[in-house]
Amino acid sequence: MKALVFDGPGRRAWTEVDDPTIREPTDAIVRVDAVTICGTDLHILKGDVPEVQPGRVLGHEAVGTVTAVGSAVRDVAVGDRVLVSCITACGRCRYCREGHYGQCLGGGGWILGHLIDGTQAEFVRVPHADRSTYKVPYGASDESTVLLADILPTAYEVGVQAAAVRPGDTVAIVGAGPIGLAAILTARLLSPRLIIAIDVADSRLDAARKAGADVTATGASARRVVDELTDGLGVDVAMEAVGLPETFEQAVQLVRPGGHVANIGVHGAPATLHLEDVWSKNLTITTGLVDTATTPTLMGLLADGRIDTSQLITHRFSLDEFDAAYEVFSHPAETGALKVLLTRTN
Amino acid sequence: MKALVFDGPGRRAWTEVDDPTIREPTDAIVRVDAVTICGTDLHILKGDVPEVQPGRVLGHEAVGTVTAVGSAVRDVAVGDRVLVSCITACGRCRYCREGHYGQCLGGGGWILGHLIDGTQAEFVRVPHADRSTYKVPYGASDESTVLLADILPTAYEVGVQAAAVRPGDTVAIVGAGPIGLAAILTARLLSPRLIIAIDVADSRLDAARKAGADVTATGASARRVVDELTDGLGVDVAMEAVGLPETFEQAVQLVRPGGHVANIGVHGAPATLHLEDVWSKNLTITTGLVDTATTPTLMGLLADGRIDTSQLITHRFSLDEFDAAYEVFSHPAETGALKVLLTRTN
Amino acid sequence: MKALVFDGPGRRAWTEVDDPTIREPTDAIVRVDAVTICGTDLHILKGDVPEVQPGRVLGHEAVGTVTAVGSAVRDVAVGDRVLVSCITACGRCRYCREGHYGQCLGGGGWILGHLIDGTQAEFVRVPHADRSTYKVPYGASDESTVLLADILPTAYEVGVQAAAVRPGDTVAIVGAGPIGLAAILTARLLSPRLIIAIDVADSRLDAARKAGADVTATGASARRVVDELTDGLGVDVAMEAVGLPETFEQAVQLVRPGGHVANIGVHGAPATLHLEDVWSKNLTITTGLVDTATTPTLMGLLADGRIDTSQLITHRFSLDEFDAAYEVFSHPAETGALKVLLTRTN
Amino acid sequence: MKALVFDGPGRRAWTEVDDPTIREPTDAIVRVDAVTICGTDLHILKGDVPEVQPGRVLGHEAVGTVTAVGSAVRDVAVGDRVLVSCITACGRCRYCREGHYGQCLGGGGWILGHLIDGTQAEFVRVPHADRSTYKVPYGASDESTVLLADILPTAYEVGVQAAAVRPGDTVAIVGAGPIGLAAILTARLLSPRLIIAIDVADSRLDAARKAGADVTATGASARRVVDELTDGLGVDVAMEAVGLPETFEQAVQLVRPGGHVANIGVHGAPATLHLEDVWSKNLTITTGLVDTATTPTLMGLLADGRIDTSQLITHRFSLDEFDAAYEVFSHPAETGALKVLLTRTN
């Protein structure tokens, strides 16, 4: 089959590799019908994620069709149309027993396109298939469903749920890229009074308003805007959706005493925590990898039209156009790309 | 009356000042029977808390006897023996309505010995007396009760409750001074499986063991000890009870994925948060000033002997020995001081 | 002034009584601009609430203008337009300290129109005014604001919050009268996947659909409808909004293992709890009187148009038409009445 | 092998049956080293649990040694000494994903000695072995470990955790049989201020005091005792540990406004819920079957000596004395039996 193979920092190729096969009784093989590229894939290509070895097939988000299952798989069968989640769960370790699949100690967690071959391929082997794939409801499109593989549950669990957003809250979201937009879409499920989106790019602030932000601000004006809207107190919840020290520090600065800061961004460098300012402010700061425990819930809300993801996919390609897709996705300032979709054509 | 007056950085005096009087219908005047000194008072004397003006009477912890009440005070009366809490609460603002008195926006919070004259005096005016004083149960000693003014509720709320300690948890407490020991004493209420106390001073580790720590470690060996006891996973809960960047960073480093870091220490400088390590670890980090919402509960547990504070008060003085008491308290390495108690003698 | 006076079971009169005056330093006097009638008032008139003495002025919901305040009132002033809440809070007792004002032990709780004279009058004395009245935002109508006195916070706190409604939940609401409709409106703030409204009256089911119910069912068909929609498992949340044994028992029957039953209705008779069926079902059943802790939050959401109460007030009167208003309100089957509004005309 | 077989209401026999064998790749076969009898087994023998078919081997609590495992079992191996839990978990259904194993929809839940053959036998087949057995720590006795199969996690999860017992609480436990005593032992982990045990048998109240109850009362005096100890307010938490309508009604009656009632008892008949009294009392009432999610935590606390179960096993037998053991256990008033232990002797 063809697959997008990482060849060391800066090098990738859509090339021929061996077809995957069932190795464990809990495995499934899935034919990839639709797949996308994640910001994390760009980090891997830069060499920021050293545990990814050359030769690895990338990708951890897909919708596809089951073509084979191991003898112990019970919930999915050959022919089923499934979501392949970015997180795999052994179902036995202490974390899985609490639904914290992202921290799985039994050979799961984020492994696809990371420690084992991933979804940017014609076929993919999915371990622990009963807990790592989800049957797609009749009528749901590949295009919206594939967003359930990572960014929607990530924004909802690591952002909205971790920060305990409640009706009537004021919420600042720092960063209006794909994950920030997903945070806006899922925060709205809780009816905050005010969502303030913060970014440097006007096009992303436009997208934020379409997604449901009530107010937008550029980075420099954010503190003033928040002060005006909250009588100088700060927001109830601030989410970091970029992954830079300065955006994390801004999120901490924007929040009121007793408020929550939820870090969603993937960071490559330490940030400064101004404890001399915040030691007495009763802050709660959270970090996290998605557990995908809410995937079935979000799948239902999406099917019912309660989350509108229509503007998130900005560019479409066929699977053999992976080179072009990576080019577009890695230059969002020029291309306006949010998420790119690649689909099987034959 | 006599009082301990701050005269600017480095200068204090036990000197004659005007007696306090009722100013608001919600005030009470309390004759101070027992009072202690807090680490925060030393910070003020160093000039680290610039909002404290010269001429201010210090102190925010006392047990005393009510000598006068304003017309709107309902729950305490002249002659009542009361605890004077470090936190004053207006009872009307959004924070007080949620029991978050430490963040009071209506003229309360930590104001005694900070923004208004405090308890290191023969008499003290206590605003919002109904929510800022607590009747002392019959039979409770001044010596144990005065610890309810600050360190016991601070350790319990900002440490144990914020970190959501649960039966069976492994808990690391970084710092075994008075607040760290109070954290050990109140963490034990939740039956953790293992309390690991970490400090540089052997005498403090001895005190930690007496307070109920199961294991002790010096700063340098802490990571190794925790790894051995948790199979390399890290502790469920780490509390910072010192107030330095390096002890905060150590607390973050010791905690397992999904664990809690509760900062109790008062900080004067920023710390580094290694987001490149912890962004994916599902940590919850909390900071806070005490609300004293648990003071009645802790008062009951203390009265019933469920918290043993007997080793916390190491030195005793009369009120007019404030100079000596400050000397002893500010040199703990030499004197072995934990908390010092000053009592009225006439 | 004129007031609606209870004269013993079955007897009421809009009649002349003494004007209220300030009795405590924490009191306010409010001129009533808009007031409504509650189902509880009908219970009182039937004699079901024996602690209400003849001579009592009824009513616990109003919007008005402050005409006098006691010396200790800080947050409202003469001339302020305020909501008068059904719950009064001393702010000192153990319940008030936790925000559980409905259970106030210090002379508050539900006392207006119950233990002291109420709001169905030209003027009303409001004790503990700082915690029992709320300034009305500029631009908010009397008509929507008066619903914040009781039914909106009751439905939200005792129903939606007690049952912990979450995005994606299936929610059954038994009873589509005013409180059931308020439960639908406030449940929608949490984006449940499906709201199923159950009632015997078609007109109320119509109102339920307008309020946002996705599905409606008559009492008899409810179990079948729920089974079809939940694969026989039952709903995540069932709310009782009637106050009869059979509707409570139905709510318990409709809920899935692990689900929540929130009783909002006012009951006059015991119900049967089928423990032989539910002992092993991990149910959570809650009861409650509103605390009005969420009143400021709901006031903000209403001001922002996030709750649409437009269909709740079905009939309008002037204050001196109280007789007619009670007639209409007590015969909803004939009049279609939900809430009736009475406003000052001079 | 020999096993205790249910032959229809009132009939049981320790008799020869076929040895169990591996049927699914996730099964294990365990040789039973120690087993006990549960009150639920007596209910089955009375015919109260009609889904139990004649021919069924009873029992859902054991400690034993693994003698065979299926091909997909990963966490236990032949020769391992394991606890066999009363709850079996598929690990795939919506309930298992949330750790609510007791409600498993995938062929688990309480099935041993109920829907499939159980542990009162020389050998037992345990489905889903990775999530239904727990390795016993070195040094732990069979005698204390077997209590982790059911009564300790049941009392802790369905009683203490469901009722959210907190330090300083007043707790009433209605019923001081085995499950009530287990509730006392595990409630103490949270340092309640006062545990009040209520029973009709003096010998059980003696046992309650030994387990850590601070106060005991007979059923008739319970209300008076609680009123005296709580100033007439009621307890924070009441647990029902009997399974009769009147003891449930008493638990509801003893609790303060805002308190929790946790039903632990197994009920065969409906109870009356006095909604006319409690509709406004902000009660939380919970029911439940154990999930055994806390089994590893309790196993650790037991190993560390933080729970003392020494008085719970009152009578000891060998496996072939099942007839005598059932006689003793079913007549506790005469025999003083709490839990009986049967152990393998060859």
Side-chain angles (χ1 to χ4, degrees):
Chain A
M1 70 168 185
K2 289 297 215 58
L4 197 281
V5 177
F6 171 67
D7 282 330
R11 302 177 56 183
R12 58 175 155 71
W14 177 250
T15 185
E16 196 69 27
V17 300
D18 288 345
D19 280 10
T21 55
I22 298 288
R23 295 192 199 168
E24 299 283 337
T26 46
D27 285 352
I29 305 296
V30 177
R31 185 195 66 198
V32 174
D33 297 328
V35 59
T36 181
I37 308 175
C38 181
T40 310
D41 297 320
L42 303 185
H43 277 288
I44 294 171
L45 280 166
K46 277 186 203 146
D48 289 353
V49 190
E51 64 268 28
V52 181
Q53 299 293 313
R56 178 66 63 232
V57 176
L58 297 183
H60 51 266
E61 305 165 282
V63 174
T65 305
V66 177
T67 59
V69 295
S71 63
V73 172
R74 290 290 172 272
D75 289 348
V76 291
V78 170
D80 283 350
R81 185 166 161 249
V82 295
L83 170 72
V84 179
S85 170
C86 65
I87 297 294
T88 298
C90 80
R92 298 175 284 106
C93 73
R94 67 180 278 183
Y95 287 101
C96 283
R97 281 168 191 245
E98 297 176 348
H100 294 143
Y101 307 133
Q103 305 296 339
C104 175
L105 297 172
W110 171 41
I111 57 170
L112 283 171
H114 180 209
L115 307 179
I116 66 169
D117 286 341
T119 59
Q120 293 174 1
E122 291 181 311
F123 293 87
V124 59
R125 180 180 71 91
V126 182
H128 304 295
D130 279 334
R131 274 173 305 275
S132 313
T133 62
Y134 301 84
K135 273 193 228 178
V136 180
Y138 181 78
S141 71
D142 286 354
E143 180 161 336
S144 62
T145 303
V146 77
L147 301 170
L148 291 167
D150 185 340
I151 71 165
L152 284 173
T154 293
Y156 184 53
E157 295 178 14
V158 183
V160 175
Q161 287 195 324
V165 173
R166 295 180 306 176
D169 275 357
T170 49
V171 177
I173 295 175
V174 183
I179 198 74
L181 295 175
I184 294 171
L185 291 172
T186 54
R188 287 181 68 199
L189 295 170
L190 280 303
S191 303
R193 189 171 178 193
L194 207 57
I195 295 179
I196 304 161
I198 299 161
D199 204 303
V200 292
D202 281 347
S203 63
R204 295 203 155 187
L205 294 178
D206 286 344
R209 274 187 295 270
K210 278 184 210 143
D214 301 288
V215 178
T216 55
T218 57
S221 69
R223 180 73 236 182
R224 185 178 50 73
V225 168
V226 164
D227 279 350
E228 276 171 19
L229 290 167
T230 65
D231 290 330
L233 193 66
V235 294
D236 298 307
V237 165
M239 302 187 199
E240 201 281 345
V242 179
L244 294 173
E246 52 267 34
T247 45
F248 176 79
E249 290 158 27
Q250 180 172 50
V252 173
Q253 217 184 12
L254 292 177
V255 86
R256 68 165 173 87
H260 291 251
V261 177
N263 184 79
I264 322 177
V266 176
H267 290 259
T272 301
L273 183 61
H274 287 284
L275 283 172
E276 77 281 17
D277 293 331
V278 304
W279 71 266
S280 64
K281 280 184 74 178
N282 291 48
L283 298 194
T284 302
I285 300 170
T286 53
T287 70
L289 193 68
V290 67
D291 291 319
T292 63
T294 64
T295 300
T297 297
L298 292 170
M299 192 176 264
L301 289 166
L302 204 60
D304 291 355
R306 295 191 194 268
I307 304 174
D308 173 8
T309 58
S310 56
Q311 66 165 337
L312 283 178
I313 307 262
T314 52
H315 296 77
R316 288 162 184 81
F317 302 90
S318 65
L319 277 189
D320 53 14
E321 296 174 308
F322 249 111
D323 269 335
Y326 263 95
E327 281 306 302
V328 163
F329 183 65
S330 50
H331 297 91
E334 292 79 24
T335 63
L338 293 169
K339 292 291 277 185
V340 301
L341 185 77
L342 300 101
T343 49
R344 191 175 59 90
T345 48
N346 57 319
Chain B
M1 69 167 186
K2 290 294 214 58
L4 197 283
V5 177
F6 171 66
D7 281 331
R11 302 177 56 182
R12 59 175 155 70
W14 176 250
T15 184
E16 196 69 27
V17 299
D18 289 344
D19 281 11
T21 54
I22 298 288
R23 295 191 200 170
E24 298 284 337
T26 46
D27 284 352
I29 304 295
V30 176
R31 185 193 68 198
V32 173
D33 297 329
V35 59
T36 181
I37 307 175
C38 182
T40 309
D41 297 320
L42 303 186
H43 278 288
I44 293 171
L45 280 165
K46 278 187 204 145
D48 288 353
V49 190
E51 64 268 27
V52 181
Q53 298 294 313
R56 178 66 64 232
V57 176
L58 297 183
H60 51 265
E61 305 166 282
V63 174
T65 305
V66 177
T67 59
V69 295
S71 63
V73 173
R74 292 289 172 275
D75 289 348
V76 292
V78 170
D80 282 352
R81 185 165 160 250
V82 296
L83 169 72
V84 180
S85 169
C86 65
I87 297 294
T88 298
C90 80
R92 297 174 284 105
C93 72
R94 67 179 277 183
Y95 287 102
C96 283
R97 282 169 190 244
E98 297 176 349
H100 294 142
Y101 306 135
Q103 305 297 338
C104 175
L105 298 172
W110 171 41
I111 58 169
L112 283 170
H114 181 209
L115 307 179
I116 66 169
D117 286 342
T119 59
Q120 293 174 1
E122 291 181 310
F123 293 88
V124 60
R125 180 179 72 91
V126 183
H128 303 295
D130 279 334
R131 273 174 305 274
S132 313
T133 62
Y134 301 84
K135 274 193 228 181
V136 180
Y138 181 78
S141 72
D142 286 354
E143 180 162 333
S144 62
T145 303
V146 77
L147 300 170
L148 292 166
D150 185 341
I151 72 165
L152 284 173
T154 293
Y156 184 51
E157 296 177 13
V158 183
V160 175
Q161 287 194 324
V165 173
R166 295 179 307 175
D169 275 356
T170 49
V171 176
I173 296 175
V174 184
I179 198 75
L181 295 174
I184 294 171
L185 291 171
T186 53
R188 288 181 67 199
L189 295 170
L190 281 302
S191 303
R193 188 171 179 193
L194 208 55
I195 296 179
I196 304 161
I198 299 161
D199 205 304
V200 292
D202 281 348
S203 62
R204 296 204 153 186
L205 293 178
D206 285 346
R209 275 187 295 270
K210 278 183 209 144
D214 301 287
V215 178
T216 56
T218 57
S221 68
R223 179 74 233 181
R224 187 180 48 73
V225 169
V226 164
D227 278 351
E228 277 171 19
L229 291 167
T230 64
D231 290 329
L233 193 65
V235 293
D236 298 308
V237 165
M239 302 187 200
E240 201 281 345
V242 179
L244 294 173
E246 52 267 34
T247 45
F248 175 80
E249 290 158 27
Q250 181 171 50
V252 173
Q253 217 185 10
L254 293 177
V255 87
R256 68 165 171 86
H260 290 250
V261 177
N263 184 79
I264 322 177
V266 176
H267 290 259
T272 300
L273 183 61
H274 287 284
L275 283 173
E276 78 280 18
D277 292 332
V278 303
W279 72 266
S280 64
K281 280 183 74 179
N282 290 47
L283 298 193
T284 302
I285 300 170
T286 53
T287 71
L289 193 68
V290 66
D291 290 319
T292 65
T294 64
T295 300
T297 297
L298 292 171
M299 191 175 265
L301 289 165
L302 204 59
D304 291 355
R306 295 191 194 269
I307 304 173
D308 173 8
T309 59
S310 56
Q311 67 165 338
L312 283 178
I313 306 262
T314 52
H315 296 77
R316 288 162 185 79
F317 301 90
S318 65
L319 276 189
D320 52 14
E321 296 174 310
F322 248 112
D323 269 336
Y326 261 96
E327 280 306 302
V328 164
F329 183 66
S330 49
H331 297 90
E334 293 80 24
T335 63
L338 292 169
K339 290 292 277 185
V340 302
L341 185 77
L342 299 101
T343 48
R344 192 175 59 88
T345 49
N346 57 319
Chain C
M1 69 167 185
K2 288 298 217 51
L4 197 281
V5 177
F6 171 67
D7 281 331
R11 301 177 57 185
R12 60 176 153 70
W14 176 249
T15 185
E16 196 70 27
V17 299
D18 289 344
D19 281 10
T21 54
I22 298 288
R23 295 190 199 170
E24 298 284 337
T26 47
D27 284 353
I29 304 297
V30 175
R31 186 195 66 197
V32 174
D33 297 328
V35 59
T36 181
I37 306 175
C38 182
T40 310
D41 297 320
L42 302 185
H43 278 287
I44 294 171
L45 279 166
K46 277 186 204 146
D48 289 352
V49 190
E51 63 269 27
V52 181
Q53 299 293 312
R56 178 67 62 232
V57 176
L58 297 183
H60 51 266
E61 304 166 283
V63 174
T65 305
V66 178
T67 60
V69 294
S71 63
V73 173
R74 291 288 172 274
D75 289 350
V76 291
V78 171
D80 282 351
R81 185 165 160 249
V82 296
L83 169 73
V84 179
S85 169
C86 65
I87 296 294
T88 298
C90 81
R92 297 175 284 106
C93 73
R94 68 180 277 181
Y95 287 102
C96 283
R97 282 169 190 243
E98 296 176 348
H100 294 143
Y101 307 135
Q103 305 296 339
C104 175
L105 298 171
W110 171 41
I111 58 169
L112 283 171
H114 181 209
L115 307 179
I116 66 169
D117 286 341
T119 59
Q120 292 174 1
E122 291 181 310
F123 293 87
V124 59
R125 180 180 71 90
V126 183
H128 304 295
D130 279 334
R131 274 174 304 275
S132 313
T133 61
Y134 300 84
K135 274 192 228 179
V136 180
Y138 180 78
S141 71
D142 286 355
E143 180 162 334
S144 61
T145 303
V146 76
L147 301 171
L148 291 168
D150 186 341
I151 71 166
L152 285 173
T154 293
Y156 184 53
E157 295 178 14
V158 183
V160 176
Q161 287 195 322
V165 174
R166 295 179 306 175
D169 275 357
T170 50
V171 177
I173 295 175
V174 184
I179 198 74
L181 295 175
I184 295 171
L185 291 172
T186 54
R188 288 180 67 200
L189 295 170
L190 280 304
S191 303
R193 187 169 180 192
L194 209 54
I195 295 179
I196 304 160
I198 299 160
D199 204 303
V200 292
D202 281 347
S203 62
R204 295 204 154 187
L205 293 179
D206 286 344
R209 276 188 294 271
K210 279 183 207 143
D214 301 288
V215 178
T216 57
T218 58
S221 68
R223 180 72 236 183
R224 185 179 50 73
V225 169
V226 164
D227 279 350
E228 276 171 19
L229 291 167
T230 64
D231 289 329
L233 192 65
V235 292
D236 298 306
V237 165
M239 302 188 200
E240 202 281 346
V242 179
L244 293 173
E246 52 268 34
T247 44
F248 175 79
E249 291 158 27
Q250 181 171 50
V252 174
Q253 217 184 13
L254 293 177
V255 87
R256 67 164 173 86
H260 291 251
V261 177
N263 183 79
I264 322 178
V266 176
H267 289 259
T272 300
L273 183 61
H274 287 283
L275 283 172
E276 77 280 18
D277 292 332
V278 304
W279 71 267
S280 64
K281 280 184 73 179
N282 291 48
L283 297 194
T284 301
I285 301 170
T286 54
T287 71
L289 192 68
V290 67
D291 291 319
T292 64
T294 63
T295 301
T297 296
L298 293 170
M299 192 175 265
L301 289 165
L302 205 60
D304 290 356
R306 294 190 194 269
I307 304 173
D308 173 8
T309 60
S310 55
Q311 67 165 336
L312 284 177
I313 306 264
T314 53
H315 296 77
R316 286 161 186 81
F317 301 90
S318 65
L319 276 189
D320 53 14
E321 295 175 309
F322 249 112
D323 269 335
Y326 262 96
E327 279 308 302
V328 163
F329 184 65
S330 51
H331 297 91
E334 293 79 21
T335 62
L338 292 170
K339 291 292 277 186
V340 302
L341 185 76
L342 300 101
T343 48
R344 191 175 60 88
T345 49
N346 58 319
Chain D
M1 69 165 186
K2 290 295 214 57
L4 197 283
V5 176
F6 171 68
D7 281 332
R11 303 178 56 184
R12 59 174 155 70
W14 177 250
T15 186
E16 195 70 25
V17 299
D18 288 345
D19 281 9
T21 53
I22 298 287
R23 295 192 200 169
E24 298 284 336
T26 47
D27 284 352
I29 305 297
V30 175
R31 186 194 67 198
V32 173
D33 297 328
V35 59
T36 182
I37 308 175
C38 181
T40 309
D41 297 320
L42 303 186
H43 278 288
I44 294 170
L45 280 165
K46 278 186 204 147
D48 289 352
V49 190
E51 64 269 28
V52 181
Q53 299 293 313
R56 178 66 62 231
V57 176
L58 297 184
H60 51 267
E61 305 165 283
V63 174
T65 305
V66 178
T67 60
V69 295
S71 63
V73 173
R74 292 287 172 275
D75 289 349
V76 292
V78 170
D80 282 350
R81 185 165 160 249
V82 295
L83 168 73
V84 179
S85 169
C86 65
I87 297 295
T88 298
C90 80
R92 298 175 284 105
C93 73
R94 67 179 278 181
Y95 287 102
C96 284
R97 282 168 191 244
E98 297 177 349
H100 295 142
Y101 306 134
Q103 305 296 340
C104 175
L105 298 171
W110 170 40
I111 58 170
L112 283 171
H114 180 208
L115 307 180
I116 66 170
D117 287 340
T119 59
Q120 294 175 0
E122 292 180 310
F123 292 88
V124 59
R125 180 180 71 91
V126 183
H128 303 295
D130 279 333
R131 273 173 305 273
S132 313
T133 62
Y134 300 84
K135 274 192 228 179
V136 180
Y138 181 79
S141 71
D142 286 355
E143 179 161 335
S144 61
T145 302
V146 77
L147 301 171
L148 291 167
D150 186 341
I151 71 165
L152 284 173
T154 293
Y156 185 52
E157 295 177 14
V158 183
V160 176
Q161 287 195 324
V165 173
R166 296 179 306 175
D169 275 357
T170 50
V171 176
I173 295 175
V174 184
I179 197 75
L181 295 174
I184 294 171
L185 291 172
T186 53
R188 287 181 67 201
L189 295 170
L190 281 303
S191 303
R193 188 172 179 191
L194 208 56
I195 296 180
I196 304 160
I198 299 161
D199 204 304
V200 292
D202 281 348
S203 63
R204 297 204 153 188
L205 294 179
D206 286 345
R209 275 188 294 271
K210 278 183 209 144
D214 301 288
V215 178
T216 56
T218 57
S221 68
R223 179 74 234 182
R224 186 179 48 73
V225 169
V226 164
D227 278 350
E228 276 172 19
L229 290 167
T230 64
D231 289 330
L233 192 65
V235 294
D236 298 307
V237 165
M239 301 188 202
E240 202 281 345
V242 179
L244 294 173
E246 52 268 34
T247 45
F248 175 80
E249 291 158 27
Q250 181 171 51
V252 174
Q253 218 184 11
L254 293 177
V255 87
R256 68 164 172 85
H260 291 251
V261 177
N263 184 80
I264 321 178
V266 176
H267 290 259
T272 300
L273 183 62
H274 287 284
L275 282 172
E276 76 280 18
D277 292 332
V278 303
W279 71 267
S280 64
K281 279 185 74 180
N282 291 48
L283 298 193
T284 301
I285 300 170
T286 53
T287 71
L289 193 68
V290 67
D291 290 318
T292 65
T294 64
T295 300
T297 296
L298 293 169
M299 191 175 266
L301 289 165
L302 205 60
D304 291 354
R306 296 191 193 269
I307 304 173
D308 173 9
T309 59
S310 56
Q311 68 165 336
L312 284 177
I313 307 265
T314 53
H315 295 76
R316 286 160 187 80
F317 301 90
S318 65
L319 276 189
D320 53 15
E321 296 175 310
F322 249 112
D323 269 336
Y326 262 96
E327 280 306 303
V328 164
F329 183 66
S330 51
H331 297 91
E334 294 79 22
T335 62
L338 292 169
K339 291 292 277 185
V340 303
L341 184 77
L342 300 101
T343 48
R344 192 175 59 88
T345 48
N346 57 322

